[in-house]
Amino acid sequence: MATTRNISEYDRKSELKAFDDSKSGVKGLVDSGMTKIPLMFIHPHYNPDAKSESAVSQFRVPLIDLDGVNDNATLRAKIIDQVREACENWGFFQVVNHGIPAGVLEEMIDGIRGFHEQDTQMKKEFYTREFKDKVSFLSNFDLFEATAANWKDSLSWPMVPNPPDPTEFPAVCRDIVSEYSKQVKRLGYTLFELLSEGLGLNVNHLKDMECAEVIFHVGHYYPPCPEPELTLGASKHADSGFLTVLLQDQVGGLQVLHQNQWIDLVPMPGALVINVGVSLQVITNDRYKSIEHRVLANRVSSRVSVASAFGTTLFPSSKLYSPIKELLTQENPPKYKEATLQAHVANLRGKRV
């Protein structure tokens, strides 16, 4: 157990409602000067003594250089092999020379930080749990369903297929959000081409399956935590969509579960983190792996990241998916029946609990 704090008088539902009604998020708690985190954030099964194995492990999340991917056939073939191996063995990799200028990455981090660190009253006008079709600020998408809340706030916006009007974005990050979203979309298309070719399929196969038809962005802010040993910035999970592109600052805290070890994904200036979602694992018949990951809380620094999800079950669809027929053989029969993505995700997550 993470704590023995007395919970005999604890009314969780009331605490959750009061927190949500404040519209101030986790940063509002920190700004109030509190030194003990509310019970709603305590993760009872989190064991901070189970340290990351990165310091003593030979494991490192793969790093792939995309330089020349569209200009040199020999280089492209090598990159395709690296992407395929990373997706089959890790489900995570970092990319450099991905085509998004360093200045855009830095400005995006600064823009998201600027939003979260501005006056609370300015943020409150964006606070809503109706986040699917508008720019929204909230803390914990699953606040009322999860067993414990995470130590983070989020600014989210859908960009494909129905982007908000530019005037709907907060002024502090309006221009860069639009530019970054456009550049990530372009990179995502390139990645889906490489993923398709890595499976021996036509270059446009995954795009033609509408894997990039929904793009949802979330700018996370993890404030410093007075009791990081009791909570998490993001609890253990696997992303629901096809692919996620993650921009993070240099603070660190993201960990990947690889061969039953928590491995630190060490930030690298200019790099982006790519990870396979559950939906991509399903349609590739487990060829590409969706791996669980988490974010640690820390006492010293705030952390900023921007996750861009290509496909997400936050937007339920009646479209049915099953493993790609071209990947199936007698020796490799389908592991999943035809179903909606949300059904596939619920099934896989249920097996991992």
Side-chain angles (χ1 to χ4, degrees), residues 195-233:
L195 292 164
S196 295
E197 292 183 272
L199 294 166
L201 302 171
N202 176 279
V203 65
N204 293 315
H205 195 106
L206 291 175
K207 288 191 289 185
D208 289 344
M209 288 184 69
E210 302 181 353
C211 292
E213 289 303 295
V214 173
I215 308 178
F216 187 71
H217 303 266
V218 190
H220 296 302
Y221 183 85
Y222 305 83
C225 179
E227 296 182 295
E229 69 280 3
L230 299 182
T231 191
L232 286 161

Side-chain angles (χ1 to χ4, degrees), residues 2 14 59-60 64 72 74 83 90 95 113 139 144-145 166 194 197-198 200 272 283 302 311 347:
S14 295
F59 295 130
R60 292 293 181 271
I64 300 175
N72 184 307
T74 304
V83 168
W90 275 88
V95 293
R113 183 181 299 281
S139 185
F144 293 95
E145 294 80 39
L194 300 175
E197 292 183 272
L272 291 166
I283 65 172
S302 60
N347 180 48

Side-chain angles (χ1 to χ4, degrees), residues 126-138 156:
F126 295 96
Y127 198 94
T128 177
R129 297 221 157 258
E130 300 299 320
F131 57 83
K132 295 181 181 180
D133 58 356
K134 62 178 72 174
V135 180
S136 69
F137 163 57
L138 79 168
S156 67

Side-chain angles (χ1 to χ4, degrees), residues 1-259:
M1 294 288 285
T3 181
T4 57
R5 194 174 293 176
N6 188 352
I7 60 171
S8 59
E9 302 299 321
Y10 178 44
D11 182 346
R12 179 175 177 78
K13 187 175 180 181
S14 295
E15 186 173 82
L16 289 170
K17 186 176 186 306
F19 171 75
D20 196 46
D21 288 348
S22 77
K23 300 184 178 181
S24 300
V26 174
K27 188 170 187 301
L29 297 176
V30 174
D31 290 344
S32 73
M34 49 151 266
T35 57
K36 298 233 175 248
I37 69 173
L39 284 169
M40 58 181 273
F41 289 98
I42 293 177
H43 289 244
H45 302 297
Y46 172 47
N47 179 11
D49 295 325
K51 300 293 185 185
S52 159
E53 299 293 335
S54 293
V56 295
S57 171
Q58 74 277 25
F59 295 130
R60 292 293 181 271
V61 175
L63 176 66
I64 300 175
D65 189 342
L66 297 184
D67 189 32
V69 68
N70 293 316
D71 306 319
N72 184 307
T74 304
L75 262 180
R76 185 180 180 90
K78 179 184 175 184
I79 291 169
I80 288 168
D81 281 344
Q82 291 175 332
V83 168
R84 175 182 52 75
E85 289 176 10
C87 291
E88 289 177 349
N89 299 319
W90 275 88
F92 265 83
F93 56 97
Q94 294 198 79
V95 293
V96 292
N97 293 315
H98 40 66
I100 304 180
V104 171
L105 303 182
E106 292 166 9
E107 193 176 339
M108 187 63 185
I109 289 288
D110 290 344
I112 296 302
R113 183 181 299 281
F115 171 80
H116 287 288
E117 292 185 351
Q118 69 182 328
D119 184 83
T120 302
Q121 289 303 125
M122 300 285 286
K123 294 188 290 186
K124 282 186 176 182
E125 64 181 277
F126 295 96
Y127 198 94
T128 177
R129 297 221 157 258
E130 300 299 320
F131 57 83
K132 295 181 181 180
D133 58 356
K134 62 178 72 174
V135 180
S136 69
F137 163 57
L138 79 168
S139 185
N140 288 261
F141 291 104
D142 59 351
L143 182 68
F144 293 95
E145 294 80 39
T147 55
N150 288 317
W151 197 258
K152 69 178 174 185
D153 298 328
S154 306
L155 176 72
S156 67
W157 63 99
M159 213 62 191
V160 176
N162 301 310
D165 186 277
T167 59
E168 295 177 34
F169 287 100
V172 69
C173 57
R174 181 175 298 151
D175 293 340
I176 188 58
V177 160
S178 177
E179 177 61 24
Y180 179 77
S181 300
K182 182 171 61 178
Q183 300 239 15
V184 166
K185 178 181 177 181
R186 186 183 306 126
L187 173 61
Y189 284 0
T190 296
L191 291 169
F192 279 120
E193 291 178 1
L194 300 175
L195 292 164
S196 295
E197 292 183 272
L199 294 166
L201 302 171
N202 176 279
V203 65
N204 293 315
H205 195 106
L206 291 175
K207 288 191 289 185
D208 289 344
M209 288 184 69
E210 302 181 353
C211 292
E213 289 303 295
V214 173
I215 308 178
F216 187 71
H217 303 266
V218 190
H220 296 302
Y221 183 85
Y222 305 83
C225 179
E227 296 182 295
E229 69 280 3
L230 299 182
T231 191
L232 286 161
S235 49
K236 182 177 74 171
H237 69 286
D239 293 359
S240 68
F242 294 104
L243 195 72
T244 301
V245 177
L246 181 79
L247 166 65
Q248 59 174 342
D249 64 14
Q250 299 303 299
V251 171
L254 175 61
Q255 294 186 326
V256 176
L257 189 60
H258 181 69
Q259 296 188 13

Side-chain angles (χ1 to χ4, degrees), residues 319-333:
K319 184 177 173 68
L320 300 178
Y321 285 86
S322 57
I324 297 167
K325 289 182 173 56
E326 289 86 343
L327 303 180
L328 304 177
T329 63
Q330 275 194 318
E331 296 75 30
N332 182 36

